[in-house]
Amino acid sequence: MSETDARFMREAIALSAQNMKDNSGGPFGAVVVKDGKIIGRGSNKVTSTNDPTAHAEVVAIRDACRNLDDFSLSGCVIYTSCEPCPMCLSAIYWARLEKIYYANTQHDAADIDFDDRFLYEQISLPKEARSLPAEPLLREEALRVFEEWRAKEDKTPY
């Protein structure tokens, strides 16, 4: 661990502590770093914004993308006070971040009643065995839009 990595992780941890003290959400914080500078900060805002997707990592990714004016965070690293949940891990992959540093583990989070085990289990099940029913509807109509996308010449691929 470098002193620089420790400094960025301490910033993520400080965001988590301040967020907890402010009662803005759970005790989670994250920073996105590019070229040795913090370009995005986030803390968990689920309860203060009534947004179940407002986890620290997602908030930090949104902030970094806004600051870079780009949807891709390639060349960036995220420091997060806790191992990312499945949603945040997916967002990190979609944002093309290059590395994740985390402090607390998913087991530490489970010990304070933030248990993602159910989500990990559900993802690994076949669709028909999951607790949340999902069924296709109007696929043929939706496929026409996909075909238009395929042929669209002025699209921005991602």
Side-chain angles (χ1 to χ4, degrees):
M1 169 187 65
S2 75
E3 187 52 42
T4 302
D5 289 329
R7 181 170 46 91
F8 292 136
M9 183 57 76
R10 285 188 182 103
E11 177 68 18
I13 293 167
L15 286 168
S16 73
Q18 188 61 53
N19 197 59
M20 178 191 56
K21 290 174 188 162
D22 293 344
N23 286 321
S24 297
F28 304 98
V31 295
V32 176
V33 174
K34 182 172 187 162
D35 299 328
K37 295 180 183 161
I38 295 175
I39 58 162
R41 286 179 168 79
S43 54
N44 182 288
K45 300 294 182 199
V46 170
T47 58
S48 60
T49 63
N50 295 317
D51 179 354
T53 69
H55 289 198
E57 298 90 339
V58 172
V59 173
I61 288 168
R62 290 174 181 162
D63 188 41
C65 289
R66 200 170 25 254
N67 289 331
L68 288 181
D69 195 27
D70 198 341
F71 58 82
S72 175
L73 296 178
S74 61
C76 299
V77 174
I78 190 165
Y79 295 79
T80 179
S81 66
C82 188
E83 185 175 0
C85 75
M87 176 186 69
C88 293
L89 184 58
S90 296
I92 289 166
Y93 274 100
W94 277 114
R96 296 179 181 88
L97 286 151
E98 292 188 358
K99 189 166 186 176
I100 304 166
Y101 289 99
Y102 62 91
N104 292 313
T105 68
Q106 63 179 284
H107 305 292
D108 298 328
D111 286 344
I112 60 165
D113 299 324
F114 290 95
D115 194 352
D116 301 331
R117 186 175 353 165
F118 172 75
L119 296 173
Y120 284 108
E121 290 169 357
Q122 288 291 302
I123 289 169
S124 67
L125 292 173
K127 283 183 254 180
E128 59 278 356
R130 295 178 185 161
S131 66
L132 182 63
E135 66 179 86
L137 182 65
L138 298 177
R139 180 170 177 250
E140 296 78 19
E141 291 180 32
L143 277 173
R144 286 195 290 270
V145 177
F146 274 18
E147 289 304 319
E148 288 178 34
W149 172 260
R150 183 190 323 265
K152 185 174 174 56
E153 293 187 14
D154 64 342
K155 65 186 168 198
T156 302
Y158 63 97

